[in-house]
DNA sequence: ACAATAGGTAGGAAAAATCCTACCGGTCAA
DNA sequence: TTGACCGGTAGGATTTTTCCTACCTATTGT
């Protein structure tokens, strides 16, 4: 169980959530669905910039849009975000396990050298 | 406990591990310390590009360099990687909890409407 | 039906990241 | 000591990302 982290994650999904602005957008969308305009009002960027970020999130499958009247309401795709959360957790624990394993080996070597 | 994910993470650290190449580099360095050259031999980029990626990882505190002879051996900073792992895990569980909470609310509303 | 207005889209400019070529410095062998 | 070579560094070109300006579309109210 060497668990190479690289093979544990979806690159597109990962880099989608790698951007701070997009993470904040996910936070806002989790609090309640909204349009590019409503999001931009709560962020330090124009709604056009927000629209492109939404496009990135959409291509990664993290958000979906449902037309409502003349607007497009974006909402988080629960299943995909859950998938992302699972990946984050597994990478985190993989690293943790790896570190723990290395530490154990190091301690074993030291103990061996002491004898 | 609304847990806004944005305030849970260190942006520099996060975007450092947001890049696929850098994640693979961390994998390789966890398997054993190495120089820019040895890493580049196991990656599809030149050692100069690797050097810049190492610089990014270094600024984020994820790796450290120790001069050894005429080379510079890079190794993972255990404490910082553990910190990163913890952040990943907490974001993952924050999202998971948020999703679960939303689902519960939705179900409650439905149940209410049925009555 | 028509004007007014809010929202989305297209295109490109500016900024940043990534990558490579060229160069410098130190180490090892003779 | 000196030449060859391995590794790192500096600088800049290229690609990608991010962001904004300008424009078009659709809905709403009169």
């Amino acid at each position: 169980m060497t668990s190479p982290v690289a093979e544990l994650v979806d690159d597109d999904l990962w880099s989608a959530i790698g951007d701070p602005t997009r993470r904040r957008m996910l936070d806002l969308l989790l609090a309640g669905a909204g349009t590019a305009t409503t999001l931009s009002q709560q962020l330090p960027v124009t709604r056009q910039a927000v629209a492109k970020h939404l496009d990135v999130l959409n291509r990664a499958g993290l958000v979906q849009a449902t037309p409502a009247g003349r607007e497009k309401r974006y909402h988080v795709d629960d299943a995909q975000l859950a998938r992302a959360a699972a990946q984050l957790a597994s990478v985190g624990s993989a690293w943790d396990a790896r570190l723990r394993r290395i530490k154990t080996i190091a301690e074993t070597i030291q103990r061996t050298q002491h004898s």
Side-chain angles (χ1 to χ4, degrees), chain A:
Chain A
M1 234 244 259
T2 27
S3 64
V5 166
E7 296 168 5
L8 235 61
V9 299
D10 175 357
D11 282 357
D12 284 343
L13 195 146
W14 192 282
S15 52
I17 58 182
D19 184 77
T21 302
R22 287 196 284 269
R23 276 199 305 282
R24 267 162 227 138
M25 285 171 58
L26 284 176
D27 277 341
L28 294 172
L29 288 178
L30 274 174
T35 66
T37 305
T38 61
L39 286 175
S40 70
Q41 288 164 349
Q42 313 176 62
L43 292 169
V45 290
T46 63
R47 69 180 185 285
Q48 291 86 341
V50 169
K52 294 219 172 175
H53 280 299
L54 281 171
D55 196 46
V56 173
L57 290 173
N58 185 32
R59 274 199 310 262
L62 282 168
V63 303
Q64 284 178 347
T66 57
R70 71 172 155 184
E71 61 187 32
K72 233 173 161 184
R73 293 189 74 74
Y74 287 89
H75 60 94
V76 175
D77 183 315
D78 290 14
Q80 276 299 96
L81 188 64
R83 203 169 86 88
Q87 287 191 10
L88 293 184
S90 66
V91 168
S93 62
W95 276 342
D96 207 52
R98 186 81 69 97
L99 291 172
R100 211 183 306 280
R101 190 160 168 275
I102 289 169
K103 200 180 172 193
T104 306
I105 290 172
E107 282 169 356
T108 305
I109 290 170
Q110 271 212 322
R111 228 175 293 122
T112 307
Q113 286 174 335
H114 276 249
S115 67

